[in-house]
Amino acid sequence: MSSRDDPPPQPEPPADPPAETTHHGLMFRFRNYFLTGLVVAGPVAITLYITWWFVTWVDGLVRPFVPSAYRPETYLPFGIPGSGLIVAVVGLTLLGFLTANLIGRTLVDLGERILGRIPAVRAIYRGLKQVFETLFSGKGSSLRRVGLVEFPSPGMWSIVLISQPPSTDIANSLPGQEDHISVFLPCAPNPTTGFFFYVPKSKIIEIDMSAEDAATLIMSAGVVQPGSDPQKKVAALANMAQAARIAHAGSEASSNLQPEPAKVE
């Protein structure tokens, strides 16, 4: 018989989790934290590496044309990355300024006439000149519009970059009476390669998406959708890791509660 002064019974301390479950939980958390850090740091590291590679590549091209007296490493114990890039930008700007006047245009026309008399070089120069004028003139809309084309089979849609209508000779050779337009279908994950073909205008669904977002969507194979917030992506990844951890812990607990098979004597 117990008296009132007796202390209340203390609850038994919870049993320690099995060592194997704790080990799996730590490894699962480590993997998810590592993947989250990789998602955050990977794009930054790759961007910095590509930027550094481009700057050093331009420096290597321009440095041989700069006299030693005008190089920073001549007066400093170390070189300055990007000095060649600055010289290239200034040189191209001066070239454009000189080309805008009468003397510059005359020299450019003379050089084009000389290149136009060389059979093998003529086709290469004219083609490259048209490409550069189209991309950097800022007046055209080539490869700036994005559309959807039913390719490679009915019911399957691919993202294409809309270019210019075909020339008169090609348009007359195409079957049907409908107007066609040329499109470029980039391949994933390398959007610089793909397919070029002519398609009727009625078969294209033009969408409100920039060419940069389309390239990102193709390079990521649909993982990075246009308009998504990077912070929301990280938060979604953390929530997914948390849900997976809870599900993993639940599956471990249910496996531990399964009854042992009865022994047959």
Side-chain angles (χ1 to χ4, degrees):
M1 184 173 182
S2 61
S3 61
R4 295 182 179 179
D5 295 336
D6 293 338
Q10 298 294 331
E12 296 182 359
D16 295 334
E20 185 178 357
T21 303
T22 305
H23 176 71
H24 286 298
L26 291 176
M27 292 301 298
F28 189 77
R29 291 184 181 180
F30 176 79
R31 184 185 64 180
N32 285 279
Y33 292 155
F34 173 77
L35 293 178
T36 304
L38 185 63
V39 170
V40 175
V44 177
I46 294 176
T47 302
L48 293 177
Y49 174 78
I50 293 176
T51 303
W52 178 263
W53 171 83
F54 177 77
V55 171
T56 54
W57 176 71
V58 175
D59 287 346
L61 291 178
V62 177
R63 187 177 290 109
F65 301 98
V66 179
S68 301
Y70 297 99
R71 298 180 185 178
E73 57 267 20
T74 305
Y75 308 97
L76 298 176
F78 54 87
I80 300 179
S83 58
L85 181 62
I86 297 176
V87 173
V89 172
V90 174
L92 292 175
T93 304
L94 291 177
L95 179 62
F97 172 76
L98 295 175
T99 307
N101 56 43
L102 180 60
I103 300 177
R105 288 197 300 268
T106 304
L107 295 177
V108 171
D109 293 338
L110 177 61
E112 288 184 350
R113 285 197 298 268
I114 295 175
L115 294 176
R117 296 180 180 275
I118 306 175
V121 179
R122 177 175 54 195
I124 299 175
Y125 173 75
R126 289 181 179 177
L128 292 176
K129 183 180 179 182
Q130 292 177 359
V131 171
F132 273 77
E133 288 178 349
T134 303
L135 293 177
F136 298 103
S137 63
K139 299 178 181 179
S141 58
S142 297
L143 300 180
R144 304 305 302 174
R145 294 182 296 161
V146 182
L148 293 173
V149 173
E150 200 169 13
F151 180 87
S153 63
M156 302 176 65
W157 296 86
S158 300
I159 293 181
V160 296
L161 301 178
I162 302 174
S163 186
Q164 297 291 341
S167 61
T168 304
D169 297 337
I170 297 178
N172 294 334
S173 302
L174 293 172
Q177 301 297 326
E178 188 176 355
D179 293 336
H180 289 69
I181 195 168
S182 56
V183 297
F184 175 69
L185 194 155
C187 290
N190 183 11
T192 59
T193 62
F195 301 94
F196 171 79
F197 50 88
Y198 297 101
V199 63
K201 289 185 177 181
S202 61
K203 303 296 182 181
I204 299 179
I205 301 177
E206 190 169 351
I207 57 178
D208 186 12
M209 180 188 297
S210 64
E212 291 78 9
D213 290 340
T216 303
L217 179 63
I218 293 170
M219 284 188 295
S220 65
V223 175
V224 180
Q225 296 292 329
S228 56
D229 189 3
Q231 298 296 331
K232 293 182 179 179
K233 297 176 190 175
V234 177
L237 181 62
N239 294 333
M240 184 177 63
Q242 179 71 9
R245 185 181 65 82
I246 296 174
H248 180 73
S251 62
E252 290 287 344
S254 61
S255 63
N256 293 332
L257 294 178
Q258 290 181 356
E260 296 181 358
K263 296 181 180 179
V264 179
E265 297 180 355

